[in-house]
Amino acid sequence: MVRKVAVLTSGGDAPGMNAALRAVVRAAIYRDWNVVGIRRGYAGLLEEDYLPLFRRSVGGIIHRGGTMLRTARSPEFKEPIRQKQALDFLERINVDGLIVIGGDGSLQGAASLSAQGLPTVTIPATIDNDMAGTEDTIGFDTAVNTIVHAVNAIRDTAFSHERIAVIEVMGRSRGHLALTAAAACGAEAVLVPELPVSMDALVERLQTCRYNGKHDGIVIVAEGAAKGADVSQAISERTAFEPSVTVLGYIQRGGAPSAHDSILASRLGAAAVTALEGNDTAHLIASRAQNIVAVPYAELSQTKRELDMELYQLVHELSM
Ligand code: ADP
Ligand code: F6P
């Protein structure tokens, strides 16, 4: 039977989504399946905005950030009536499987469609790396490297001027990105949403670092923990330090994927097709201990991935 699969990218974009798209399309066509791409995530599904994808449609994109299918947030897709509308559309164009590339919210959308009978699998892609069931997500490694690159440049000038550099990074509800970047940069302190720290405790820590002979310092702040500007103000109110503040913003979400993310995306994309082929549907295609495994949606808890407390402790131990 000739199969026809649809693929979409949804939620916040992540470097490596294009590499995953390329892998999905090529692996599906390798099996003589037909592929359609849905533009703008679930919003495009409701607007019936799609295009056929061929081998050459995904040429020259493996190294490009963002997503050629574009992405969107579609709050209305949470409504069962909208999901039914999407299912009717996919049935009308003879699609018998859907591959969703996105984060936690996107997975919820895919799980809803699967519960109503459509085979779906989800490829984890978010710079936040906050999804339950997988140790890695497409885009995380690239974003960490982008932050490290920026922080290393900021540290040069913080060293020269003996300043405390406060750097606000993404992570509205989870601090994996901030923590991993802090560990890679050797930051003096990291603030994450999961573990509130008082400004007094932060300042005490920076003063201890100064007492230990440090003349500059890096404080990484996840946006969900505090605003970089507020942290900077709290430091200058309590000390004679001259804090600087940098908000890295969308620079963290764009750019070419790292080699790690391109390879991860290629493996996850091909494995997603294999999962659909084997009727291993209603699964997250996950990375665990360097292996690609399919995890049933039903096994995923509603909670997000826990912060690595050993890494958190390590950042603090090594930075004094
Ligand atoms: P991400 O996938 O990066 O976590 P969002 O949380 O914004 O991004 O979710 C992306 C989209 O997934 C939402 O705009 C919505 O269309 C869909 N979605 C999110 N949560 C649900 C849900 N509980 N049920 C159905 N669809 C959902
Ligand atoms: O892609 C993940 C993420 O960057 C989060 O860290 C952040 O909370 C959110 O997306 C911001 O996205 P937007 O500005 O597009 O709403």
Side-chain angles (χ1 to χ4, degrees):
M1 184 183 80
V2 176
R3 294 196 64 149
K4 190 171 183 183
V5 284
V7 57
L8 60 81
T9 49
S10 166
D13 65 350
M17 278 183 161
N18 276 326
L21 276 171
R22 169 183 176 271
V24 165
V25 171
R26 298 257 170 99
I29 294 174
Y30 187 78
R31 289 160 174 77
D32 289 329
W33 296 2
N34 291 311
V35 190
V36 297
I38 311 289
R39 294 191 190 91
R40 302 177 54 252
Y42 295 120
L45 206 46
L46 297 178
E47 289 156 15
E48 307 191 358
D49 187 2
Y50 72 104
L51 74 168
L53 292 172
F54 308 102
R55 280 199 176 89
R56 297 273 70 76
S57 316
V58 290
I61 64 167
I62 190 171
H63 62 293
R64 283 174 48 196
T67 158
M68 67 166 267
L69 285 180
R70 303 201 291 275
T71 183
R73 294 200 165 89
S74 168
E76 60 179 340
F77 192 74
K78 292 182 187 172
E79 297 165 22
I81 191 167
R82 294 295 173 201
Q83 294 163 11
K84 174 77 173 59
Q85 180 187 333
L87 290 168
D88 289 346
F89 159 63
L90 290 172
E91 191 179 344
R92 200 171 353 109
I93 62 168
N94 299 317
V95 163
D96 51 20
L98 174 68
I99 295 176
V100 169
I101 303 172
D104 214 38
S106 305
L107 182 143
Q108 299 301 326
S112 302
L113 296 179
S114 270
Q116 293 167 69
L118 178 73
T120 78
V121 291
T122 300
I123 296 175
T126 161
I127 65 162
D128 292 334
N129 197 12
D130 58 351
M131 296 173 72
T134 184
E135 291 161 10
D136 203 358
T137 57
I138 295 168
F140 177 67
D141 180 71
T142 307
V144 169
N145 280 295
T146 301
I147 295 170
V148 170
H149 184 75
V151 171
N152 287 345
I154 293 166
R155 197 190 266 285
D156 287 345
T157 170
F159 171 86
S160 308
H161 289 266
E162 302 189 330
R163 282 190 181 140
I164 300 293
V166 177
I167 296 143
E168 182 185 310
V169 303
M170 279 188 166
R172 209 170 272 167
S173 60
R174 289 281 152 173
H176 303 288
L177 189 59
L179 175 58
T180 308
C185 297
E188 275 61 38
V190 58
L191 302 184
V192 291
E194 295 90 334
L195 300 166
V197 171
S198 73
M199 287 302 121
D200 288 339
L202 171 68
V203 163
E204 193 184 321
R205 170 169 191 81
L206 295 173
Q207 277 165 333
T208 307
C209 289
R210 184 65 61 116
Y211 178 79
N212 288 346
K214 288 193 166 191
H215 291 272
D216 62 344
I218 299 290
V219 179
I220 307 270
V221 183
E223 62 182 339
K227 283 200 173 306
D230 294 343
V231 174
S232 172
Q233 194 186 338
I235 294 170
S236 55
E237 277 168 7
R238 290 167 172 78
T239 67
F241 301 154
E242 281 183 71
S244 69
V245 58
T246 308
V247 179
L248 291 184
Y250 290 103
I251 192 175
Q252 300 161 87
R253 228 161 65 178
S258 63
H260 172 91
D261 276 333
S262 295
I263 293 167
L264 177 69
S266 301
R267 293 176 75 203
L268 291 172
V273 171
T274 306
L276 276 186
E277 185 178 34
N279 284 325
D280 224 356
T281 63
H283 280 63
L284 169 70
I285 310 303
S287 171
R288 289 185 180 174
Q290 313 290 332
N291 294 314
I292 305 297
V293 295
V295 183
Y297 294 150
E299 275 181 25
L300 300 173
S301 62
Q302 291 302 310
T303 57
K304 294 200 166 193
R305 201 165 71 81
E306 292 299 316
L307 199 71
D308 182 343
M309 291 308 297
E310 275 181 34
L311 194 61
Y312 185 79
Q313 176 59 24
L314 189 69
V315 168
H316 286 81
E317 250 178 66
L318 300 188
S319 61
M320 297 288 254

